[in-house]
Amino acid sequence: MSETGSVNRRKVLAGSGIVAVGVVAAACSSSSESVQVAPSEPAPGAAATGSKGTLLAAVADVPIGGGVVISDPPVVVTQPKAGEIKGFTAICPHAGCLVGAVAKDEIICPCHGSRFSAVDGSVIAGPAEQGLAPAAVSVQGTNVVLA
């Protein structure tokens, strides 16, 4: 009953699965134009850690009431108040996407709209149910580094 080159249910389902995976991957990798990524950082990495002392950003590049998203290592550096530097993982606990921006003391995930506090990483709005884990950062001179 099968002919060479014919389309069967298995081929259709396999093709649909491949397309679905591509769509999900594209959605999770999309970003908004308001993304602030530290200059000269490589493409997003899978690991949430880096070496102690890894340069993340210049303090001057971290806006007060905002922050920067570093893709590798995936860390968000925020400055809720002048001179108060905080660090959190940049990986959203909801679906594993890299968060996209920090504005008005909120860290925003572009994938599904979760919002987190730039002060303590807690969830402001879901769908994420867990906050962003803290990342150990410190200021060395004029730079923010992993502690």
Side-chain angles (χ1 to χ4, degrees):
M1 245 188 169
S2 67
E3 296 177 17
T4 304
S6 67
V7 177
N8 61 28
R9 184 174 57 195
R10 181 174 288 158
K11 289 180 182 178
V12 170
L13 290 174
S16 298
I18 291 169
V19 170
V21 168
V23 169
V24 168
C28 287
S29 66
S30 67
S31 62
S32 67
E33 291 183 9
S34 64
V35 173
Q36 295 181 7
V37 178
S40 71
E41 290 297 325
T49 60
S51 301
K52 183 177 181 177
T54 299
L55 175 64
L56 299 173
V59 173
D61 292 338
V62 183
I64 297 167
V68 293
V69 178
I70 293 94
S71 59
D72 188 20
V75 175
V76 180
V77 177
T78 66
Q79 188 170 192
K81 295 186 243 180
E84 181 182 1
I85 300 294
K86 304 272 186 157
F88 306 97
T89 179
I91 304 299
C92 178
H94 172 247
C97 298
L98 185 71
V99 297
V102 184
K104 298 180 184 173
D105 282 326
E106 291 186 4
I107 301 165
I108 304 154
C109 180
C111 291
H112 301 107
S114 291
R115 296 185 336 228
F116 306 91
S117 167
V119 176
D120 62 11
S122 62
V123 176
I124 293 172
E129 295 179 0
Q130 296 176 340
L132 298 176
V137 298
S138 64
V139 175
Q140 288 185 355
T142 59
N143 295 312
V144 181
V145 299
L146 284 178

